Amino acid sequence: MTASPAETEALAARLAARLAVGDVVAVSGELGAGKTTFVRGAARALGFPGTVSSPTFTIGHRYEAPTPVAHLDLYRITGLDAEEWGDLEPYFDGTVAFVEWPEHGGDWLPVARATVTLEHVDESHRRVRITSEDDLGL
Ligand code: ADP
Ligand code: MG
């Protein structure tokens, strides 16, 4: 459970410390659950100093940092086809990639190293679950 956006960012930073280029993180949860906040904390921890905002009106952002970070939001995607996947694929190349609304990516997305699920508890609290096949020590 986190009690503020700052706590969610700090938790994301702990996950980020375990990640390497090539890793994909699926970030699930309803609108306003804190997905973008989580990605912001992770991108900061990976060395990106700039603004991390929702890519809802584009498909994704690529943040150039010591560890490049991709930030995708598939909210508007309804069933990818090969051509659309071709547009998305470069985001995964040489980055740690965070994907909001991964459910909309179907089977095209690379297998996630970790899955983060955020749930509203109340205005300032979120339940955050991080699952992975690997022991991330979180
Ligand atoms: P999403 O990307 O899931 O739609 P955002 O990260 O854009 O969500 O927005 C989450 C909103 O909830 C922000 O306004 C943030 O300030 C607020 N918030 C309140 N408490 C928390 C918390 N514990 N963790 C994350 N965000 C929180
Ligand atoms: Mg978002």
Side-chain angles (χ1 to χ4, degrees), residues 31 35-37 54-56 71 73 100-101:
L31 283 174
K35 301 181 296 299
T36 297
T37 301
S54 175
T56 297
H71 181 190
D73 187 327
E100 299 188 36
W101 297 99

Side-chain angles (χ1 to χ4, degrees), residues 11-94:
L11 180 57
R14 288 177 56 204
L15 171 61
R18 310 283 170 177
L19 300 175
V21 164
D23 286 342
V24 175
V25 179
V27 187
S28 291
E30 61 192 61
L31 283 174
K35 301 181 296 299
T36 297
T37 301
F38 190 96
V39 177
R40 181 177 298 120
R44 285 273 178 285
L46 291 167
F48 179 68
T51 304
V52 174
S53 57
S54 175
T56 297
F57 298 102
T58 61
I59 269 292
H61 292 143
R62 187 180 169 117
Y63 307 126
E64 294 306 336
T67 302
V69 175
H71 181 190
L72 295 160
D73 187 327
L74 306 185
Y75 184 62
R76 276 154 206 288
I77 297 285
T78 51
L80 284 176
D81 59 27
E83 192 186 336
E84 287 173 309
W85 169 244
D87 293 336
L88 292 187
E89 198 173 17
Y91 285 101
F92 296 89
D93 192 15

